Each structure stands twice: as C-alpha cells, then as structure tokens.
Amino acid sequence: MENSTRIKFPARWSEPLDPDMDARAVDGLLKVAPFTAMNPESFSESMPLSGILKNDSRLQQLEKGDIIVREGDYGGSAFLIVSGEALVSTRSLPPEVLGRGNKERKGWGRAIAQLWRNSNQTEARDYSKTKTPNQDTGTGLRDHSSGTHVFLHDIPRVIPPEHSITLGEGEIFGEISALTRSARSATVVANSKMVVLEIRWQGFRELMLRNEAMGQHIEKRYRENSLQAHLRETEIFRDLPDDVIRKLADRTIFQTFGNYQWSHKFKSTLKKDISQRILNEPLIAEQGDYVDGLVLIRNGFARLSRKHGEGHQTIAYLGKGDTFGFREVVHNWATGQQRPWMLSLRSLGFVDVLKIPVTVLEELVLPQLRESSFPAPLPDLAGDGKARNRRLTPRAKSMEPGLMEFLVENRFINGTQAMMIDLDRCTRCDDCVRACASTHDNNPRFVRHGPVHDHWMIANACMHCLDPVCMIGCPTGAIGRDRETGNVAINDTTCIGCSTCANNCPYHNIQMVQVNDNRGNPIRDSETSLPVIKATKCDLCLEQPFGPACQRACPHDALVRIDISSPDDVMEWTEK
Ligand code: SF4
Ligand code: SF4
C-alpha cells in the first residue's frame, strides 16, 4: 500500500461565511422575501437554497449610524435588508469620515525638517494630537459580533436628506461591485436598528441563476447603469451610435473564471511545476476551438498561450480593458473562412469577462467598422497593408520571454508601482532603504530583497496593485485607495491590527508591527493593556511633495517604481 499523506480535498463550502449560522436562522430566512418566492426544487441537490443560506450568508445586527459599505471599498458580498432602513449617500464622503487616511502632502519646508525630527525609536507613534475617529470627524468605531464597524454619530450632519436615498426591507445593495470585483460606488449607512443579510458573491450568483425574477432585476440594473458605459470605453465600440451600444449591452454575456479569493490559493500554486500550473488555470478559450465571440476583460488577468511541444508557451498577459479574439472574428467574417482560436486564453487568479457572440458582432458591429479600426490580419494573410490598429494585437509580444514568464508566474503583473531593481547597476549601497527610513520616522517601509529573474529583482515593497486583494475584508476600512492618486494606503489611526490585509497580500508586502512611544516603550490598549499592533507598508511617500524617496535616492539609476501591468513600460525600462 502506498505510504503517502492523504488529505480531504476542500469543497465549495469547507469554509462557511459564518460558522455560527444554524438551521433555525436558515428556517427564519426561508420565510422572508425574496426567499419565499424561490422554488427550492429549482436549486441543484449539491447546492440547495438552504445550503446557500447556511454557508454563503451571515446575519448582521446593526445599530443606527453603522456604515455597512463604504464608497471605494472592495468587497465580495451583496446585502439584503431583512429589517430596518438604510441610507445611501449620493455624494462622496470625506475620507476621515469613512475611517480612511486624509494625508496632505507636506510642503518642501516640512518635508526637509522631518529629516532631523525623526524619532530614534523603531515604529514610534505620537497619538496625542491625532484625531481619533470620534473626535471632530463625527465617526467612531463599534464592535459587533460580525466585526468592528465605523459608525456615524450624527447622520443628517454627514449625509443630509437631500443627498441620500432610503432603502427599506427586501431591498438589495452592493451587488454590482460584489459581482464585478470593482470598488463600491456609494456609502450605505444603517438609519435604524437593522438586520442585514450579507451574501457572498458565489452564493449570490447562484441565487440570481436560480431565481429568474431576482436575476433579471439585478441584471437589468447592471445593463442599464454600468454596462453601456463600459462598452463605450472599449476601442472597438467607441464610435458606435447609442442605439447600437444599447442593443449590444442587451446581448452581452457575463462570465467569471477562477477563484475570487485567488491570493490564498496562489501561494500554494507557486510550489507546482509551471506546466502543471498552466493546465490548472481555467480556460476561457482554447486554441483550435471554434471561434464563438469576442472576449472583453473587465477585471483580473488572463494568460495568452500557444501550444509548444507537450506544453504551453506564454505569449502575453491581458488585463482590464483588453480584448481577445477580434482578429479571428474579423478574419472569419471578411473571408468567409472558419479559422479556430489561434491561441488559448486562461484565467490567472480571478477574471471577469464580457462575451459578445459572433452573430451579434456580425449583425451590429462589423458592418459599421471603419477599415482603419481593423486589427492586424492573421499570420498567413500578412502583407495586405491593413494592419493598422496595433493596440488590438497582443502588446507583450516582444518582451523577453523569460522575463514575461517571471512577471506572470509571480503575478507581478498586478503591480502598478512595483519596485524593480536592476542588479547589474545596483551596488547594494542601501541609499534607497535609508531614504525610505528618513521619510518614515526611521522605519523603512520595504526590504531590498525579493524574487529575481536574470538581473531583475522585484523588491518586497507594496506594488499598489490593480487588484488590491489586501483591501478585501479590512473591518474598519483603514486600508484603502487614496482618492486622488489611487495608491493603496493604511490609516494608522483606524487600523486595529487584525492582520487581515497582511494575510491577504499575496506578495508579503504588509508587515504587522508593535508600535512604541518616543521613549521606546510599547503603546498599550487602554482596555486590555495588550501592546498595540499596526499594519505598515510602502505608501509611495504619499505625504512627500516629490514622490517616492527610494527612486530619487538611487545614485545609480538602478531602482524604478514601475507599472508592470503595462508591458510597454516594462520593455521601455528593461531595454534602455
Ligand atoms: S499590499 Fe500587497 S496586495 Fe495590497 S496593493 Fe500592496 S502589494 Fe498589492
Ligand atoms: S490590520 Fe489591515 S485589515 Fe486589519 S484593520 Fe489594519 S489595515 Fe485593516
């Protein structure tokens, strides 16, 4: 008998959203709309309605003023109001009200003065003058069984009635960002004692699929509110008249591939052989298969690969806003031939795509396209002089294949401000680390180490990702995007040191540190007396007037903060 270790393969519901959700609570929910109108028979045996409610949902008891979702947050859940009333703010609220940082850039004088005012203690903090959430900002922190919530003391002062919409029992909110992995578009606050059912997106999608009325309602809202604008942003459709865009939106298919919480799986995937990894990636389109539509990537990343011997060779990676399949679609339409997909497209982590069927393109789009918008011809038709639209061809075709594989395999393609170091130029002088320390109270916010390919290192510094999975689940919203720059920053005041962000970051770029006073003594929680822990990471020198100190300090031009999601930027730097 083989003497190997055996483990139980994890199932869809191995980790329920709320392990305390019991049969009684589920029975109660089944008596509430919209679940009363759902036919349990229409759900599959492996995923019954009661199972979805038990495993993919949790009940939250909220007090008046609790912020339920914040504009700009990332989250994977939709919410159903079981009882009570909520307010949606129709205008953006100041970051400090939402528990976020509101760092102003320092002037030159203050930035320079900081160099000699830095504390000589590690991770020193002075909270004496800090506005905690319940001073001046009109907000505070409140603990519930579902976690810590930021709440508003005085709702009408922060959200005046003329800038709010009221939601009542049975209404749903937060579903679009949950389904499309995009930031929340508005802040929603409890306007009374409330019971809210949070449903994570996997379960929510299942409910939409099984309940026609609910699915139609949500889909209609999305097609009307967001999809038309999204299609209009796509180069191929930019010049189409409004009525055609409306018809296209009606016939667009939504698809998702891969794992929403990809960061956890990614760490274990790295240990596998590359060919094995590729084969495990969910297929969006397979080389050699029949061309059935145009794919638009709405969120996430996908690997473009070609069969090579027994395995696959990565050709490029595609991200948000990129399209796949247009060349084949146009070729087949223009020539009457039926060429299959020339390449395969696979999900890297989690990808959210829109698919427009060939028949729809042939009817609504292709006859209206100007010749100048045509993509490059397929390889065996080259030379007819029509290859003008280079943006519709894979962009990374000339990147050194080993470098591209390195960036894809490690998912550095997620980084918009990754720290890339040319080890041929770097003399290991650590001027970059010292510059970082002097702009952050003597506490450097990165480590000059990290994975290396050839002479290129991606250092362990926050990359300010396109898909900042670190932001998922922060209970106080302390980690969030800076509204102006889009950089990912942590508000030290509202961080409760729970480590959710550090555990979610797939690149190990967040450190949890114990904070001290200026004499080096640990700062302790006033109630528990335990040392206070905070999350820290590179903030791209958010407060400095002149940008990231690390890059400016490098005397050998060896370090750059670079947008790896743009292959053109990478090629420009690595080939100079
Ligand atoms: S902390 Fe990690 S996941 Fe978050 S933006 Fe930085 S590198 Fe990306
Ligand atoms: S440790 Fe991270 S997730 Fe937790 S409160 Fe602080 S910033 Fe948010």
Side-chain angles (χ1 to χ4, degrees):
M1 174 86 130
E2 196 190 329
N3 191 16
S4 58
T5 310
R6 283 160 199 255
I7 57 164
K8 198 167 181 301
F9 200 74
R12 158 91 155 75
W13 284 331
S14 298
E15 287 178 42
L17 182 61
D18 178 2
D20 294 331
M21 191 81 168
D22 57 20
R24 222 172 113 232
V26 172
D27 281 349
L29 285 171
L30 288 170
K31 297 186 182 104
V32 167
F35 307 115
T36 40
M38 292 186 186
N39 176 6
E41 306 288 306
S42 64
F43 288 78
S44 67
E45 261 179 47
S46 60
M47 221 169 285
L49 174 58
S50 56
I52 293 171
L53 292 175
K54 175 150 182 6
N55 295 286
D56 285 331
S57 76
R58 66 172 169 179
L59 283 162
Q60 294 191 22
Q61 318 278 342
L62 301 169
E63 298 294 326
K64 183 170 181 171
D66 284 344
I67 297 181
I68 312 169
V69 299
R70 265 172 299 233
E71 182 183 351
D73 270 6
Y74 279 65
S77 300
F79 298 84
L80 167 79
I81 301 178
V82 178
S83 67
E85 182 184 277
L87 285 184
V88 183
S89 176
T90 55
R91 63 176 188 181
S92 293
L93 301 181
E96 62 274 19
V97 168
L98 299 178
R100 297 214 174 91
N102 191 19
K103 290 193 176 170
E104 285 168 19
R105 286 206 181 264
K106 290 181 174 136
W108 285 87
R110 275 178 65 211
I112 293 164
Q114 182 186 346
L115 300 180
W116 60 82
R117 275 199 210 127
N118 276 341
S119 167
N120 51 12
Q121 301 295 337
T122 54
E123 300 298 348
R125 304 284 197 281
D126 177 5
Y127 290 127
S128 60
K129 296 192 192 81
T130 310
K131 281 181 191 168
T132 52
N134 50 10
Q135 292 167 339
D136 297 354
T137 58
T139 61
L141 296 179
R142 191 148 56 198
D143 285 328
H144 290 287
S145 55
S146 54
T148 307
H149 280 256
V150 178
F151 73 95
L152 302 180
H153 288 290
D154 183 357
I155 302 175
R157 182 163 75 87
V158 181
I159 311 176
E162 65 275 22
H163 293 296
S164 67
I165 296 168
T166 304
L167 301 179
E169 269 178 40
E171 294 201 75
I172 290 168
F173 59 90
E175 77 286 1
I176 303 293
S177 58
L179 292 168
T180 61
R181 201 182 182 81
S182 51
R184 307 271 186 206
S185 58
T187 298
V188 184
V189 180
N191 199 29
S192 65
K193 262 186 178 298
M194 284 185 85
V195 178
V196 168
L197 183 72
E198 178 183 352
I199 313 168
R200 62 184 174 193
W201 77 275
Q202 296 93 332
F204 189 74
R205 198 175 55 169
E206 201 64 29
L207 294 177
M208 278 176 61
L209 286 174
R210 306 289 171 184
N211 183 264
E212 229 175 289
M214 183 174 177
Q216 281 168 355
H217 172 69
I218 304 288
E219 209 172 293
K220 185 166 174 281
R221 246 170 42 181
Y222 176 69
R223 284 183 199 273
E224 282 169 3
N225 297 341
S226 313
L227 183 58
Q228 290 181 30
H230 184 87
L231 290 173
R232 176 71 71 208
E233 284 164 12
T234 307
E235 195 171 334
I236 301 166
F237 308 130
R238 190 159 292 156
D239 300 324
L240 293 178
D242 288 346
D243 63 318
V244 176
I245 290 282
R246 247 192 321 275
K247 287 182 194 157
L248 261 188
D250 285 344
R251 293 163 75 182
T252 297
I253 299 164
F254 308 126
Q255 293 178 326
T256 56
F257 298 87
N259 191 327
Y260 192 84
Q261 297 273 17
W262 62 268
S263 58
H264 298 296
K265 281 242 162 83
F266 167 66
K267 291 175 192 165
S268 56
T269 312
L270 267 180
K271 294 180 194 129
K272 291 194 181 133
D273 174 70
I274 170 135
S275 53
Q276 204 54 43
R277 265 185 253 165
I278 294 187
L279 290 178
N280 285 341
E281 289 163 2
L283 266 166
I284 303 169
E286 185 163 22
Q287 182 179 351
D289 271 7
Y290 168 74
V291 175
D292 58 351
L294 173 73
V295 177
L296 312 184
I297 300 191
R298 199 159 43 152
N299 286 297
F301 293 100
R303 182 200 299 270
L304 211 47
S305 68
R306 169 167 54 211
K307 283 184 188 146
H308 186 71
E310 293 298 298
H312 284 260
Q313 182 185 33
T314 302
I315 305 296
Y317 52 89
L318 304 184
K320 186 173 180 170
D322 283 329
T323 56
F324 171 82
F326 197 50
R327 293 173 80 194
E328 286 93 334
V329 168
V330 172
H331 169 86
N332 292 351
W333 172 72
T335 63
Q337 298 172 355
Q338 282 307 316
R339 291 276 296 271
W341 296 120
M342 297 188 302
L343 301 167
S344 293
L345 188 68
R346 292 181 146 83
S347 151
L348 284 169
F350 176 83
V351 189
D352 178 18
V353 306
L354 301 174
K355 190 164 204 177
I356 306 180
V358 166
T359 47
V360 177
L361 293 165
E362 287 177 349
E363 180 190 328
L364 296 173
V365 180
L366 297 176
Q368 310 222 28
L369 271 192
R370 284 200 293 268
E371 204 186 299
S372 59
S373 311
F374 278 22
L378 292 183
D380 63 346
L381 301 178
D384 66 1
K386 289 180 182 168
R388 292 198 191 106
N389 197 337
R390 301 183 58 78
R391 289 210 50 209
L392 300 175
T393 63
R395 296 169 307 175
K397 60 184 172 165
S398 56
M399 192 188 294
E400 191 261 301
L403 176 62
M404 190 173 56
E405 201 111 313
F406 167 71
L407 299 177
V408 170
E409 293 321 315
N410 289 288
R411 302 289 191 277
F412 294 136
I413 49 176
N414 197 6
T416 64
Q417 293 280 351
M419 184 184 288
M420 192 168 193
I421 300 180
D422 182 346
L423 296 176
D424 280 352
R425 288 187 218 163
C426 170
T427 61
R428 299 16 171 199
C429 67
D430 268 345
D431 278 358
C432 51
V433 181
R434 275 189 290 277
C436 179
S438 27
T439 43
H440 296 93
D441 283 325
N442 278 340
N443 301 297
R445 294 292 178 235
F446 76 95
V447 189
R448 192 183 45 74
H449 288 292
V452 173
H453 165 75
D454 198 345
H455 57 106
W456 303 110
M457 175 201 278
I458 305 295
N460 278 122
C462 172
M463 308 193 297
H464 302 269
C465 294
L466 267 181
D467 184 5
V469 275
C470 55
M471 282 168 56
I472 298 175
C474 171
T476 66
I479 185 163
R481 278 201 194 277
D482 179 70
R483 234 188 279 171
E484 254 173 58
T485 61
N487 298 340
V488 178
I490 297 173
N491 180 355
D492 193 72
T493 314
T494 51
C495 170
I496 55 169
C498 66
S499 305
T500 305
C501 55
N503 293 333
N504 275 348
C505 171
Y507 314 101
H508 311 287
N509 286 343
I510 296 184
Q511 285 78 44
M512 303 306 300
V513 298
Q514 180 181 302
V515 293
N516 302 314
D517 62 21
N518 282 329
R519 287 163 301 166
N521 298 322
I523 295 174
R524 294 183 181 275
D525 182 279
S526 55
E527 280 174 26
T528 62
S529 296
L530 292 171
V532 170
I533 306 287
K534 299 280 181 179
T536 72
K537 68 173 196 65
C538 157
D539 61 357
L540 271 188
C541 298
L542 200 61
E543 292 181 312
Q544 300 299 317
F546 22 68
C550 49
Q551 182 171 327
R552 277 180 299 107
C554 178
H556 308 290
D557 196 20
L559 182 155
V560 69
R561 301 306 295 251
I562 192 166
D563 181 358
I564 300 186
S565 71
S566 160
D568 293 343
D569 288 11
V570 176
M571 283 186 284
E572 199 180 313
W573 166 253
T574 54
E575 285 163 19
K576 80 174 184 179

